[in-house]
Amino acid sequence: MISTSVTTLVLGVALVVSLRRFAPSTIFNNPQEGKKAERYRVRWVVRLGNRIVPVMTDQIACFFSEDKSNYLMTFDGERYIVDATMDAILEALDPARFFRINRSCISALKAIESAMVDAGRYTVEIKPKPGEVSTVVTRSRESEFLRWLEKG
């Protein structure tokens, strides 16, 4: 007779083997396979009144917060409300192409015209300008910002 615990162990091992074979690789956090599955958003669907507008990520100059709402701004200067937090937006973006300047602004590399240094603080000039939002790089991220800017 086979005991219940041995039967449970055998069935458990069989289940894990089956899942590894047929389930998506992200369940088991395989670093090699996880990199292949890693994707970033290529399109954002936003609302403009009663219209739904698709905006391609490569058309976005920046995301910013203003008056308790989050917006995206295209290189054409169009701005749309985005129904996501800044943290969620950042997770959906390719870090090689976008950088969080500070808590209220995420900029595309292509949108950065220059960065001015004043009293050791970097102020980023983004084109088009995202309203009255501060574009001063957070002190704790200044060296990371410079490395990102050089790599891009």
Side-chain angles (χ1 to χ4, degrees):
M1 282 188 155
I2 298 177
S3 72
T4 305
S5 59
V6 173
T7 304
T8 304
L9 177 64
V10 170
L11 289 174
V13 170
L15 177 63
V16 169
V17 169
S18 297
L19 284 174
R20 283 188 185 269
R21 176 177 252 174
F22 299 110
S25 63
T26 55
I27 291 174
F28 294 99
N29 295 327
N30 183 337
Q32 293 292 356
E33 295 177 31
K35 287 182 183 176
K36 294 176 192 172
E38 188 175 36
R39 292 224 169 132
Y40 301 105
R41 281 179 85 163
V42 294
R43 180 180 308 104
W44 295 76
V45 178
V46 294
R47 286 190 161 73
L48 184 62
N50 61 355
R51 292 182 19 219
I52 295 175
V53 180
V55 179
M56 300 303 289
T57 301
D58 61 359
Q59 296 174 340
I60 298 172
C62 64
F63 292 87
F64 63 94
S65 294
E66 189 175 74
D67 299 327
K68 298 185 181 182
S69 294
N70 293 330
Y71 299 87
L72 69 77
M73 180 172 282
T74 65
F75 286 101
D76 297 336
E78 297 290 324
R79 60 188 256 174
Y80 303 98
I81 290 181
V82 178
D83 292 330
T85 65
M86 292 297 274
D87 289 336
I89 292 169
L90 189 62
E91 284 183 27
L93 297 170
D94 181 354
R97 296 175 49 203
F98 288 87
F99 188 86
R100 188 164 189 173
I101 303 295
N102 55 44
R103 68 185 332 192
S104 61
C105 185
I106 299 170
S107 177
L109 180 61
K110 293 189 322 185
I112 295 177
E113 292 286 314
S114 64
M116 298 184 307
V117 181
D118 184 29
R121 302 294 311 266
Y122 295 96
T123 302
V124 180
E125 184 178 341
I126 299 172
K127 295 286 182 177
K129 188 173 177 4
E132 299 301 317
V133 174
S134 170
T135 57
V136 176
V137 178
T138 303
R139 276 197 193 274
S140 63
R141 305 196 71 209
E142 288 175 349
S143 59
E144 184 182 348
F145 172 71
L146 290 177
R147 281 193 306 272
W148 174 79
L149 203 55
E150 287 174 355
K151 276 197 264 181

